[in-house]
Amino acid sequence: MYMNKSHSRIISMVALVATIFVMLFSVAYSSGHVNHHCNDSADCPICSMLAQCESSLKSLGTGLIAAVFYAVVLSQIFTVSLDYKYQSVQTTLVSQKVRLDS
């Protein structure tokens, strides 16, 4: 299916906003219930939600580390490739300024 640039930009912006919302919600919920203590953590909805928030933050953190790594590697590759200057390795008698007199 063919997608034009405006649709792909809209989809990427929605994904970015959703990721930021999940991260901020997880941090806010975790910090709001930091002093939560319960006796039965298996059936506690707050404890299960804290576990879900923790796992989402860990997975986002892992993805962020991978994204930063790939961005750094790509930027280094582009920097090196842009600084490269083409030089001809082909030498001729004229380029060496050899006199062709007999």
Side-chain angles (χ1 to χ4, degrees), residues 12-61:
S12 64
M13 288 303 291
V14 167
L16 179 67
V17 168
T19 303
I20 291 172
F21 176 74
V22 166
M23 187 167 51
L24 290 177
F25 175 75
S26 296
V27 169
Y29 191 82
S30 297
S31 64
H33 293 90
V34 73
N35 292 327
H36 173 72
H37 298 289
C38 65
N39 296 333
D40 189 17
S41 63
D43 294 327
C44 180
I46 295 175
C47 290
S48 64
M49 188 63 158
L50 285 173
Q52 288 177 356
C53 290
E54 180 182 346
S55 68
S56 68
L57 286 174
K58 282 183 181 179
S59 65
L60 284 174

